[in-house]
Amino acid sequence: MPLRATDNPLVLPLLGLLLEQPRHQYAALAALRERYHHLRVRTSSVYTLVGSLREAGWIAPEGAEPVVFRLTEEGAKAFRQKVAADLADTDPASAARFVTALAYVGILDRATASATLTRRVEELRDRAAVLEKAVGAVGLPPVFMIETEFVASQTRHDIAWLESFITRVEDPAYPWPASP
């Protein structure tokens, strides 16, 4: 469990859902479970997280019972910052965060999205080069470095996909939801 509630992996998807439309806690819980199969969504975690995000000023209640929560201006700013940070983070342990942030890349303007993803590609290129060098440098039969070869191949695939996506992002004909 993260030390700060705002570092919880459910923060980004929860803020994203509230950006789409204000929701009651249970509706947010149901939507998280429906849309984010790669995340572990527990009822108690979501309810606790809603309280923490409310305390942080990122969400606020509106209306009477049942209470519906909406994203605040501060929450929208934090959301954009978290999307950009998670898109740029190349730590393999943050792969699920990247996938979740990718779902919300449209919250960024095209230039920011392109620049952020380009930085990611540059870091991944460096990592792939290090991995590929390690495979041959150890002096062992290739099978003993097969996992490193696999990760290098996976990284090269990610680079190719990201480069293709960056090309689409930079194309004015590609639909983009965020205003410039």
Side-chain angles (χ1 to χ4, degrees):
M1 189 67 163
L3 296 177
R4 292 179 343 158
T6 54
D7 291 334
N8 186 307
L10 294 175
V11 167
L12 201 60
L14 182 57
L15 293 176
L17 291 172
L18 296 177
L19 179 72
E20 292 171 8
Q21 70 182 45
R23 297 173 194 257
H24 179 272
Q25 288 183 83
Y26 183 78
L29 171 67
L32 286 168
R33 285 185 173 155
E34 181 180 308
R35 289 169 59 175
Y36 296 97
H37 299 280
H38 65 284
L39 298 174
R40 188 170 28 181
V41 180
R42 294 186 176 161
T43 304
S44 60
S45 297
V46 172
Y47 281 72
T48 300
L49 187 55
V50 165
S52 297
L53 293 175
R54 185 177 178 184
E55 286 175 22
W58 292 6
I59 65 173
E62 66 179 26
E65 294 292 326
V67 176
V68 172
F69 289 90
R70 64 171 175 73
L71 197 60
T72 64
E73 194 172 310
E74 185 179 343
K77 180 181 175 185
F79 179 63
R80 277 189 292 280
Q81 291 170 341
K82 285 186 81 55
V83 167
D86 288 352
L87 287 173
D89 186 358
T90 60
D91 181 348
S94 300
R97 287 182 187 265
F98 169 75
V99 171
T100 303
L102 194 58
Y104 294 106
V105 68
I107 191 71
L108 306 174
D109 61 78
R110 286 179 190 270
T112 302
S114 176
T116 302
L117 293 171
T118 298
R119 277 193 313 277
R120 181 181 184 85
V121 166
E122 290 166 0
E123 288 185 33
L124 290 175
R125 273 195 193 111
D126 291 345
R127 177 181 307 140
V130 167
L131 291 168
E132 289 163 349
K133 185 177 179 183
V135 170
V138 178
L140 296 171
V143 73
F144 293 114
M145 293 297 287
I146 198 69
E147 76 286 356
T148 305
E149 183 181 329
F150 173 78
V151 173
S153 174
Q154 197 173 36
T155 303
R156 289 287 178 201
H157 173 272
D158 290 356
I159 291 167
W161 188 91
L162 285 165
E163 288 173 334
S164 172
F165 182 59
I166 291 166
T167 300
R168 286 185 277 166
V169 169
E170 293 173 345
D171 180 356
Y174 186 70
W176 199 259
S179 11

